[in-house]
Amino acid sequence: MNDIIKCVNISVYFNTGILRKQTNYVLKKINLNIQRGNIFGIIGPSGAGKTTLLNVLTNQISYEGNVYIDGNDTVNKGADLFKELSLCSVNSGLYEELTVMDNLLLYANTFGKGKKEVSELLLTTNLHECEQKTFSKLSTGMRQRVSLIRCFLNDAPVLLLDEPTSNVDPYTGSIIRDFIVKIKEKGKTIILTTHNMFEAEQLCDQLVLLNEGVILEQGSPNLIKEKYFQQPLLITCTMENGSLIDLEYPKEKVQLSNLIKDQIVLSIHSNEPTLESIFVNLAGRKMS
Ligand SMILES: Nc1ncnc2c1ncn2[C@@H]1O[C@H](COP(=O)(O)OP(=O)(O)OP(=O)(O)O)[C@@H](O)[C@H]1O
């Protein structure tokens, strides 16, 4: 297998309560294999442990278990780990009083890149008109995009993106998602956290559904959906005259094909499971 990252039995606890005597496990025996060149999603509601897991991967907190990158335990890597992993969370490593261009040139120059590369990245993320703006004057969506570019400029093979589209409008969200796909096309491995199931389905090659520190399910979005696919499937056809016809598949598949052949069907909707509905069934709660 071409795994770039492997997590074995990862657990994290914090001591809480009066005198910090209560041990609260926020990740419980997590096992992950992340394949090179994939977009890997860590999906879960607020408090599920997504950021904690990223902090484990970047060795920023204490944990039980082992994390391997390219077969080597990350605890032995020290600061060199950040040559292999680049963490993007909003505002991280950016200076409030510098312009967007100056902020990014600081990183670009360190990694042998210059103004040309930064300008191209600003254009790709629709930020070209902001390059002379001071970072402190940017909106959340602009900050997210600058942070993402900074993270990409590090030249690390693995990028960790903590909720890259949270608190942004749908248009900015789609620019960010397109940029993430472009980063993947450059051969990078991307690990992202999100509560957005649409985003997870659209972007991720593999994902884990995380709830209260436990993995409920993992795999590709399609394989997970296939696993929970149950027959009979209810199919609702909206006809040209506005009427709705419900059919059961496979029992009524002949009627369904006759209907499509003989009449004008404007839309077909089926109640196949979504990642959201699978999560709700497994966790007994909604994503947000
Ligand atoms: N330093 C800490 N001390 C005590 N508990 C903590 C600490 N950091 C995180 N936690 C707890 O760990 C759990 C997981 O937090 P985490 O930030 O990883 O969740 P998350 O899935 O990233 O949530 P969100 O989507 O809201 O960012 C939460 O219950 C949180 O309160």
Side-chain angles (χ1 to χ4, degrees):
M1 278 302 256
N2 194 10
D3 291 335
I4 189 163
I5 291 178
K6 191 175 168 72
C7 295
V8 182
N9 280 336
I10 297 298
S11 295
V12 172
Y13 63 86
F14 294 108
N15 289 324
T16 54
I18 300 169
L19 304 176
R20 306 182 78 73
K21 278 192 167 164
Q22 218 171 303
T23 301
N24 184 22
Y25 274 88
V26 297
L27 290 180
K28 298 157 200 161
K29 302 231 175 261
I30 300 289
N31 291 295
L32 294 179
N33 292 301
I34 300 176
Q35 285 179 28
R36 198 179 306 277
N38 268 4
I39 299 181
F40 187 92
I42 303 169
I43 319 300
S46 191
K50 303 182 297 297
T51 304
T52 305
L53 189 49
L54 291 189
N55 288 336
V56 168
L57 294 175
T58 49
N59 211 359
Q60 295 188 80
I61 55 170
S62 307
Y63 57 88
E64 296 168 358
N66 300 84
V67 180
Y68 301 94
I69 180 159
D70 272 328
N72 300 309
D73 199 318
T74 54
V75 289
N76 303 322
K77 288 195 171 269
D80 278 350
L81 182 59
F82 292 96
K83 289 183 186 156
E84 294 172 70
L85 302 176
S86 181
L87 176 65
C88 172
S89 54
V90 76
N91 308 338
S92 57
L94 291 155
Y95 294 93
E96 292 288 330
E97 295 315 319
L98 289 186
T99 63
V100 168
M101 179 55 92
D102 286 345
N103 258 305
L104 292 174
L105 277 177
L106 273 178
Y107 286 91
N109 291 337
T110 312
F111 295 97
K113 301 186 179 99
K115 204 167 176 177
K116 183 172 166 283
E117 284 91 343
V118 173
S119 297
E120 275 168 17
L121 291 166
L122 289 171
L123 190 64
T124 311
T125 51
N126 206 19
L127 279 176
H128 47 293
E129 286 172 7
C130 306
E131 65 171 59
Q132 290 312 323
K133 267 197 177 180
T134 309
F135 189 69
S136 62
K137 305 227 164 70
L138 300 184
S139 70
T140 307
M142 292 166 176
R143 283 168 173 259
Q144 299 273 54
R145 283 176 277 166
V146 178
S147 301
L148 203 53
I149 294 174
R150 181 202 66 75
C151 179
F152 177 64
L153 283 169
N154 275 20
D155 257 356
V158 183
L159 275 64
L160 298 110
L161 314 180
D162 197 5
E163 300 192 16
T165 57
S166 65
N167 303 317
V168 302
D169 65 84
Y171 177 62
T172 304
S174 77
I175 293 175
I176 293 176
R177 281 190 285 276
D178 288 349
F179 186 55
I180 292 172
V181 172
K182 286 201 176 98
I183 296 174
K184 178 192 163 176
E185 285 165 2
K186 302 250 179 229
K188 308 274 185 186
T189 304
I190 294 157
I191 303 170
L192 64 86
T193 68
T194 181
H195 336 116
N196 182 334
M197 291 297 201
F198 161 75
E199 179 164 293
E201 287 203 52
Q202 200 189 13
L203 283 182
C204 298
D205 300 296
Q206 301 283 319
L207 54 84
V208 289
L209 295 178
L210 193 66
N211 188 47
E212 297 180 355
V214 175
I215 292 179
L216 300 177
E217 195 47 91
Q218 60 182 310
S220 76
N222 281 343
L223 281 182
I224 293 176
K225 285 196 292 181
E226 245 171 56
K227 182 172 168 188
Y228 291 91
F229 181 88
Q230 277 180 344
Q231 290 189 344
L233 189 65
L234 184 69
I235 295 180
T236 304
C237 300
T238 306
M239 312 308 295
E240 197 184 20
N241 64 5
S243 65
L244 301 176
I245 297 179
D246 287 334
L247 293 166
E248 247 184 37
Y249 183 90
K251 202 171 99 192
E252 295 175 298
K253 69 178 177 195
V254 176
Q255 290 91 320
L256 178 64
S257 82
N258 286 343
L259 192 69
I260 295 169
K261 206 161 56 191
D262 300 338
Q263 296 185 51
I264 294 179
V265 180
L266 293 183
S267 71
I268 297 180
H269 174 80
S270 70
N271 69 339
E272 63 188 294
T274 60
L275 282 182
E276 178 84 41
S277 66
I278 292 167
F279 179 85
V280 171
N281 276 333
L282 292 172
R285 62 185 282 205
K286 285 199 168 226
M287 184 60 74
S288 51

